[in-house]
Every structure is written in C-alpha cells, then in structure tokens.
Amino acid sequence: IHYSHKHKDKYKDKEHKHKDHKKDKEREKSKHGSRYWMGMKSLDGKVKKEKENGFASPPHMKIEPEEDFYHSPKLAKSLKRERDDDNDLDFKPKKIKTENDKKAKKRKQEDEFLFLFLWEEERYTDGVKWKFLEHKGPVFAPPYEPLPSNVKFYYDGKPMKLSPEAEEVATFFSKMLDHEYTTKDIFRKNFFKDWRKEMTSEEKAKITDLKKCNFTEMSEYFKGLSEARKAMTKEQKLKIKEENERLLQEYGFCIMDNHRERIANFRIEPPGLFRGRGDHPKMGMLKRRIRPQDIIINCSKNSKHPEPPPGTKWKEVRHDNKVTWLVSWTENIQGSIKYIMLNPSSRIKGEKDWQKYETARRLKKCVDRIRAQYREDWKSKEMRVRQRAVAIYFIDKLALRAGNEKEEGETADTVGCCSLRVEHIKLYPENEGQEYVVEFDFLGKDSIRYYNKVPVEKRVFKNLQLFMENKEPDDDLFDRLNTSVLNKHLQELMDGLSAKVFRTYNASITLQQQLKELTNEDENIPAKILAPPKTFEKSMQNLQAKIDAKRDQLANAKRDLKAAKADAKGLRDDKSKKTVETKRKAVQRIEEQLMKLEVQATDREENKQIALGTSKLNYLDPRISVAWCKKWGIPIEKIYNKTQREKFAWAIDMAEKDFEF
DNA sequence: AGCACGGACTCAGAAAACTTACA
DNA sequence: GTGTAAGTTTTCTGAGTCCGTGC
C-alpha cells in the first residue's frame, strides 16, 4: 500500500518491508473497483481539485453512474495529514484478489489493522466528522391546497365552510378515517384539542363535538384523487417520475469531503396527525408544518450555503464539523430534534457501521472473561452488583435492550432490561419439567410484545426472588440499576462496550457458527440455507396482512353501522331498521373472524419469530455473509439487494473468503 | 459526585411504491 | 396479453441507545 504521507509510510514500511510495490500498484490500477476505505474510486476528472482546501464546490459535478456504488470516501484525505497535496494516485490502495496468495492473506489482515489505525487516529484526535460539507438544504412539504368548493364538511348535518387553517387540519383527519386510530378515544381527544387551536373564534364556538363532525365527503374526495393518480396515463406517470428524479438530483445529494454522497431524507416531514406506536398518549396531536424559520442549516463556512425560499430566513446557519447532520429542526410533539443525515451508503455511515462490528469483534475476545465475571457477581454482597450482574446476563443471554427510563405520560409504556418491573416477570421453581423458569411478558421497543419462558441458573433465580421481595407489581425489578450505571460498568470491562454490543456480537457470532454448521461441501448450498427463514417470515407477514385487512374491514363495517343507525333515526322506517340489523350482524361476524386470526398469530409467535430483515441490516456483520459467498461461489446479489449492497460496500470490498468474525 | 437533560446517532415497523408472478 | 395479486424494495419517521454537559 502506498502512502505518500510520511507517517503512514513509516507505519507501512514497518509492516510491509518486503512488498513488491510496483506490482501491487499495477494490479490495483487494472482492477475495476477499489478498496472502499481508501476510497480511491475518486472523482478524479470530475471534481476539479481546487487546491488547498481542495473542497471548493465543483460547479459541474457529474453524476456517478448508479451501478457503481463505490462513492468512495477518501478517508486518508479526511484524516489530518499535512497538505503536501501529492496526487491521489499515491493513495491508491491495493485490491487484493489473488486467491492462492498467502501474502495476500497476510496483507489483508494488516490492511484491517491499518484501517483500524486510521480510524482511531481520526476518531480520537478531535471528533471532527468532515472538513467540507455543501448541500442544497431541505425540500419543504408542498403548501396546503384548499378543497374545491363542492367538497364540504358537515357539522351537525349542516354544511360548513372552514377557514383554510381549520380545513387543513380537518383533511388530515379525513384522510385517516379508514384507520383504526380514528376510533381511539385518546386519538380523537388529542386531535380535537389541537384542531380547535387552529379554528377561528367563530368556528371554535360552533364546533364543540367531534362526533357531530362529518368528514366523509372530504374522505371520498381524497380517495378519488388517489384513484385518479393510479389511473393516470403512462406519460403522466413518467412526468412525475422525472420531476422526482430532478428533485433527487438537486437536493438528494451533498458534497462531503470530495465525495458526492446520497442524503437519506432530504424532504421535510409534512404536517399531519401524530401516529405513535402502541398506546401512545400523544396520538392524534397535530404535527405542525415546518417552515424555513424553524430550520438550522449545518455546512462548511467555505461552502455555498443553501438559500431559504424567497422571502424567508433560516433559523440559523452553523458550521459544526463535529456532527454529521446537514439540517435540523425541533419537532413539536415531543420537543425532540429531527435531522437530515446521509444515506447508509455514505462514507460517514459506513465507517461507523464498520466500527460497530469491530467493537463486537473485540467483545468476542473477552466475552468469556466478562461472562465469568458476571456469574461471579451473582454472589456479591452488594445488591447493586448482583442486580447489575443479572441484568447483564439477561442482555447477553436474551438479547434484551438496555432499557432507558422514559418520562411517564410522554410515551407509550414500554420497557427494556433496566426498566423491567416486577409485573413483567413470573418465577416458576418448576415448570413443564424444567427447573427455575422465568417467564417474561412485556412490551419492548415499538410496543412489540416480548414473551419468553426460559430456564435460568439457580443463582439467577434466587436473586430474582430476592429482587422482588416486598415489592409492588409496578416497582422496578432492578431498583439499584439504570442504563448509565450499567454502561459505565461495561465500559470498564472493555473499551467501547455498552449493552447493545451484546446484540451485535451474539447475532453475528451465531450467524457465523450456523453458516459453518449448515453449509457442507456436497450440497447445493443456497436453497437449504436461504429458504426456510424466508418462507417462515413470509407466512408470518401474510398472516399479519390478513389481520390488518380484517381490522380495516371491521372499521368500515362499524362506520357503516353507525351511518345506518343515523339514517334509521331520521327516517324511522322498517327498511332502514333492517339495514341496521344486517350491519350489526356484519360487524359481529368480522369481529369473530379477526379474533380467530389473532389467535393464529399468537400461536405462531410461540414459535419465536425473528425479524430477519432487521438483524440482517443492523446486527449481522456483513463480512460474514460476504466471506461465505466468496467461499462458496455464491453471487452476492443472492444475499443482498441493491440498497444493501450499497450500504455494505465496505464489507463486500474488504472481506475475503477466509474472514473470521 | 451524581444526576437530569439534551443532543446525536442507530434501529424499527408501517406504509407507499414498485416489480414480478399468476389467473 | 392483461389485469390483479403477491412479493420486494424504498421511504418515512417514530423509538430506542448512549454520551456529554452543566448544575
């Protein structure tokens, strides 16, 4: 590997005394791709190198063809090196693909070490994330378009023209009419409260009861619009597509340290009604429209700053290169900050991802020690140490999340390990032939139910009994523990260790073991390994879809029933009474069907379903899969789709067939 | 010292959009 | 061949983790 930079040369020389540099260089050049980390698929010839800062905005930057997913970063360049501005060619890393070459293998390991070295250097010096950042700012939600005059809102059966502000909020509700949300009390209450805030004083005086509001005409109108959109001609659809593409090209990319990087979310979230997950106390509240004066822009001083729309101003333009976001604003529901950041394919996210797996690999080296330690701590004299030790055991063995404490009444009531309450576990000294069984039943992240019955060590069991003594169901199980205490301890056990590293480590190591175990030479590999989880997951999803459909159907039927009732009240004839009865029966029938489906779903749940998609993206070191593919000659496309390949470009490039997690 | 708080970042499922298989 | 359903990918944004800061 050639580094013109002295200090790297020095480092390199130490490690590679006898390398044939010339050969390497040639090989490298002939290779189409290049080492991701060194980012040598540069913008050479595309970005004008503007010298010293080297980052002046390239006025006519070309778009890199999509199939080339190496929007490779110049890590080396972003590191602090003296600006002797040698040309980039000298930085070209090696592409090592020589299968039989032992040297290559060795070099690869050294490579990895070097990467680590470079990373550490960048990271621990000053926390700088970039040297140059330029972008076009966010794309705002389209302005509200008032309803045509023939689409009416009715209050108490009478048409009523709403002020634009009140009307807009009403349309948000009308668009969700088919959704289960709108039947929930909290949702309706929150919505109505916030809606009234948008009303004129006359409207406020008149509209006092949500039940008397009739949004159906509005709802039908929007359904019609979406039908019309579906029925558009090919040309019209194409036109929209082109417009989107134009917007993407203009706003969907930024320049960060010499590379044109994809932005993850360049559109500002449009206004609407807040939909939390689970039993969220704030569901239905108005999520307000974000304006330029709410927006903070982050970019380089020496970049071309994005312009606010004519006649408006940004809240602030700052130049903080210790953070990775381009745009931020404060959201009005929880008061939290929202960001516009880069795509997972970007250098900055890729590096972080890679670092995450490196931390997990370091855990691999000391996990035995740590396990021995917490088992020892189960016997500690100190309560807090015992609690901590049992908690780590759960996190390790059951992949529980850390479980930060949350403000009551601000969010749905969900828990993780440290925030478990007595009511969430049951202890069985003896259960179905097993000893010391703990039954977990609680709502975790996104209000997803965690239900599990596991036998545990006797000591753990006894400890849990101890922790639960003299406590109420809603008391904390681990009253001497919280996530910051826990993580501080973990940090002492290993640099960079925190609760979530266990998930990454355990998921990845298991994948590796399973692949080793299940893959055998004389079998046709792909079918066997890839099929079962896929079909299983699918069947689960299908069921969920059925349930959802049934729910919608139920909501519809209920509404029909309501409408029929209203009619009957007005008309008082036999015919309408009869329809009410049929509708009522329909509702009942659908309710029963829904029940059946839900039972089915929980049954399957017992079989323990794993969200394969999520772990694939977030917990499994992609290098394991890449190595496996290379080893068995399986095309990487079989495993990762385009987006995933972009996200894992670093791993695809880095991992050889003998990679060991 | 310890703790509340905010900030920045990863991870998560729902929904929308798109693609492919199938009647 | 065409319309539709099923499957897959992409987008969206909410829900966590974790750490630094300031009292």
Side-chain angles (χ1 to χ4, degrees):
Chain A
I1 299 185
H2 303 270
Y3 291 97
S4 56
H5 181 252
K6 287 178 206 118
H7 128 249
K8 279 165 201 148
D9 273 339
K10 205 157 81 193
Y11 172 78
K12 221 46 241 189
D13 285 343
K14 232 195 296 186
E15 304 297 310
H16 298 265
K17 279 227 166 73
H18 311 298
K19 285 269 142 67
D20 182 348
H21 286 212
K22 210 190 223 162
K23 224 193 235 160
D24 284 343
K25 194 158 184 171
E26 275 162 21
R27 197 161 20 176
E28 159 59 24
K29 274 183 178 166
S30 67
K31 222 48 196 185
H32 155 73
S34 60
R35 291 300 240 187
Y36 177 88
W37 290 107
M38 296 306 152
M40 289 315 124
K41 170 75 187 67
S42 71
L43 299 181
D44 285 0
K46 290 179 182 163
V47 184
K48 251 237 292 293
K49 292 210 196 79
E50 256 352 311
K51 267 336 198 342
E52 212 14 32
N53 76 27
F55 305 112
S57 67
H60 306 300
M61 166 124 6
K62 296 242 177 61
I63 296 131
E64 289 196 299
E66 269 317 304
E67 72 274 14
D68 181 7
F69 48 74
Y70 295 91
H71 294 282
S72 305
K74 291 184 181 171
L75 178 60
K77 192 137 191 174
S78 76
L79 295 169
K80 25 168 253 193
R81 61 175 169 112
E82 295 96 309
R83 303 255 176 211
D84 45 10
D85 264 4
D86 39 34
N87 69 57
D88 286 318
L89 290 174
D90 288 355
F91 269 86
K92 294 235 166 163
K94 304 289 75 65
K95 182 77 180 185
I96 304 142
K97 281 286 163 68
T98 353
E99 304 284 277
N100 54 353
D101 189 352
K102 267 195 185 155
K103 263 198 290 183
K105 184 176 164 189
K106 177 110 187 281
R107 183 166 41 203
K108 196 212 79 207
Q109 285 165 355
E110 286 160 353
D111 248 26
E112 277 174 29
F113 184 49
L114 175 65
F115 295 145
L116 197 62
F117 175 83
L118 292 174
W119 171 259
E120 306 271 313
E121 179 184 31
E122 175 178 55
R123 167 156 179 148
Y124 295 114
T125 44
D126 44 11
V128 166
K129 303 284 172 37
W130 46 263
K131 302 274 182 193
F132 180 81
L133 173 61
E134 180 171 283
H135 58 92
K136 288 288 189 65
V139 171
F140 288 94
Y144 177 63
E145 285 181 37
L147 295 170
S149 54
N150 63 323
V151 181
K152 294 194 178 67
F153 162 74
Y154 297 88
Y155 187 73
D156 211 3
K158 292 184 274 296
M160 179 174 175
K161 179 73 188 164
L162 296 171
S163 64
E165 291 76 18
E167 186 187 271
E168 180 177 8
V169 179
T171 64
F172 298 154
F173 193 83
S174 77
K175 284 176 185 171
M176 299 176 75
L177 234 43
D178 282 343
H179 208 288
E180 209 197 343
Y181 281 120
T182 55
T183 63
K184 294 192 179 172
D185 270 0
I186 308 171
F187 189 96
R188 295 172 68 89
K189 195 182 114 264
N190 286 333
F191 159 72
F192 196 56
K193 189 171 161 217
D194 279 5
W195 186 28
R196 282 175 58 80
K197 287 184 203 154
E198 300 301 310
M199 293 177 187
T200 63
S201 46
E202 296 82 60
E203 287 166 340
K204 218 183 276 185
K206 199 164 165 193
I207 303 174
T208 54
D209 184 358
L210 181 55
K211 288 205 283 288
K212 292 181 180 168
C213 295
N214 181 342
F215 301 95
T216 46
E217 226 169 78
M218 297 161 74
S219 172
E220 292 306 318
Y221 170 68
F222 290 116
K223 276 183 200 158
L225 282 189
S226 75
E227 285 305 311
R229 214 171 316 126
K230 265 188 228 152
M232 280 187 310
T233 64
K234 284 230 166 64
E235 297 78 60
Q236 289 171 310
K237 281 182 180 165
L238 190 67
K239 220 181 125 196
I240 291 174
K241 216 174 160 188
E242 276 167 359
E243 171 60 14
N244 279 335
E245 182 60 25
R246 195 189 62 75
L247 221 59
L248 173 68
Q249 289 306 329
E250 180 164 6
Y251 294 96
F253 294 82
C254 73
I255 308 295
M256 185 178 274
D257 292 353
N258 273 352
H259 287 272
R260 186 168 183 267
E261 305 260 37
R262 180 81 187 272
I263 295 169
N265 56 323
F266 59 93
R267 289 171 206 272
I268 298 280
E269 297 171 18
L273 303 183
F274 177 80
R275 317 144 82 110
R277 308 268 169 88
D279 253 334
H280 197 115
K282 299 196 169 188
M283 62 168 78
M285 282 175 65
L286 175 63
K287 199 168 99 167
R288 62 155 231 284
R289 179 177 291 273
I290 305 302
R291 307 150 303 172
Q293 64 262 40
D294 302 316
I295 294 288
I296 301 173
I297 298 287
N298 192 34
C299 62
S300 295
K301 266 192 195 128
N302 60 343
S303 73
K304 205 172 140 225
H305 300 187
E307 289 295 330
T312 66
K313 280 190 175 146
W314 302 127
K315 179 179 182 183
E316 184 190 336
V317 176
R318 68 170 72 153
H319 311 291
D320 182 356
N321 69 358
K322 301 257 196 340
V323 297
T324 67
W325 54 268
L326 321 184
V327 173
S328 77
W329 70 92
T330 301
E331 154 267 352
N332 69 304
I333 305 287
Q334 331 248 15
S336 62
I337 308 172
K338 298 265 192 170
Y339 304 94
I340 291 182
M341 291 186 188
L342 297 191
N343 202 59
S345 61
S346 61
R347 181 217 100 213
I348 206 148
K349 296 289 186 192
E351 273 178 18
K352 205 65 191 301
D353 205 32
W354 168 63
Q355 187 214 14
K356 175 179 77 185
Y357 292 112
E358 287 305 303
T359 305
R361 286 174 91 192
R362 281 193 289 118
L363 174 57
K364 182 189 178 186
K365 294 190 190 118
C366 60
V367 72
D368 290 340
R369 190 192 90 221
I370 288 169
R371 285 173 176 160
Q373 159 93 253
Y374 67 61
R375 298 176 73 92
E376 198 56 33
D377 286 346
W378 292 341
K379 298 182 265 182
S380 169
K381 293 190 294 282
E382 279 186 88
M383 188 60 142
R384 57 172 197 99
V385 174
R386 286 194 187 206
Q387 292 194 355
R388 198 176 66 194
V390 171
I392 298 173
Y393 168 75
F394 283 165
I395 286 167
D396 184 17
K397 184 182 169 96
L398 305 172
L400 299 194
R401 295 189 181 78
N404 282 313
E405 53 272 57
K406 345 197 309 185
E407 229 176 314
E408 210 174 326
E410 294 291 299
T411 59
D413 178 22
T414 62
V415 297
C417 186
C418 294
S419 49
L420 279 171
R421 299 190 294 263
V422 170
E423 60 195 332
H424 295 130
I425 65 168
K426 272 193 197 137
L427 303 181
Y428 301 97
E430 165 89 52
N431 185 281
E432 291 161 13
Q434 291 178 307
E435 281 189 310
Y436 309 122
V437 173
V438 185
E439 182 184 49
F440 292 82
D441 191 353
F442 61 89
L443 296 181
K445 184 177 183 180
D446 294 317
S447 293
I448 303 291
R449 183 175 174 206
Y450 181 93
Y451 179 82
N452 199 4
K453 253 187 195 174
V454 272
V456 300
E457 279 81 343
K458 183 175 178 185
R459 277 219 167 76
V460 172
F461 195 84
K462 295 288 172 197
N463 271 317
L464 288 170
Q465 286 179 325
L466 182 66
F467 303 159
M468 288 164 81
E469 256 169 37
N470 303 317
K471 281 187 188 170
E472 297 295 316
D474 63 345
D475 286 339
D476 285 338
L477 177 64
F478 301 115
D479 52 303
R480 309 284 171 85
L481 187 68
N482 63 42
T483 53
S484 80
V485 169
L486 180 87
N487 280 331
K488 198 181 248 172
H489 174 68
L490 292 175
Q491 175 64 41
E492 282 161 14
L493 295 179
M494 184 195 103
D495 183 43
L497 187 61
S498 66
K500 82 190 190 84
V501 180
F502 283 94
R503 295 193 129 212
T504 314
Y505 163 71
N506 281 314
S508 290
I509 199 76
T510 306
L511 173 67
Q512 183 168 82
Q513 283 162 359
Q514 292 287 302
L515 285 178
K516 268 191 190 149
E517 210 170 291
L518 298 173
T519 315
N520 78 58
E521 207 83 36
D522 42 52
E523 229 167 333
N524 62 339
I525 305 120
K528 189 158 197 188
I529 302 226
L530 301 176
K534 213 168 187 173
T535 47
F536 180 73
E537 200 189 5
K538 280 289 96 80
S539 77
M540 214 48 213
Q541 263 177 18
N542 285 344
L543 192 57
Q544 191 52 47
K546 276 186 197 162
I547 290 174
D548 290 344
K550 208 37 95 180
R551 285 223 172 96
D552 285 352
Q553 203 185 337
L554 182 61
N556 281 327
K558 276 187 175 165
R559 209 173 11 266
D560 285 353
L561 172 61
K562 227 184 252 173
K565 270 185 187 164
D567 283 348
K569 218 173 178 179
L571 297 165
R572 295 187 179 286
D573 61 347
D574 276 355
K575 197 176 153 235
S576 49
K577 265 188 202 157
K578 229 171 114 189
T579 31
V580 170
E581 250 342 279
T582 23
K583 300 280 181 196
R584 203 192 299 280
K585 285 227 176 87
V587 169
Q588 213 167 34
R589 198 180 58 241
I590 295 167
E591 261 167 349
E592 277 166 16
Q593 289 167 345
L594 179 60
M595 194 89 80
K596 263 188 204 161
L597 285 173
E598 275 170 339
V599 168
Q600 244 184 70
T602 37
D603 281 353
R604 277 193 216 177
E605 195 99 26
E606 315 286 75
N607 271 329
K608 197 65 54 58
Q609 74 141 331
I610 33 155
L612 206 58
T614 291
S615 44
K616 188 169 167 185
L617 232 48
N618 297 315
Y619 294 114
L620 302 175
D621 188 332
R623 289 170 296 181
I624 298 168
S625 308
V626 169
W628 183 80
C629 283
K630 287 183 179 169
K631 183 165 178 190
W632 298 96
I634 291 161
I636 202 80
E637 294 77 23
K638 294 260 187 249
I639 302 265
Y640 293 130
N641 68 30
K642 180 167 153 282
T643 318
Q644 292 166 164
R645 291 198 301 275
E646 283 170 13
K647 169 168 176 172
F648 297 137
W650 60 272
I652 293 171
D653 207 22
M654 187 189 275
E656 300 296 340
K657 67 177 161 66
D658 55 349
F659 171 82
E660 275 276 334
F661 175 77

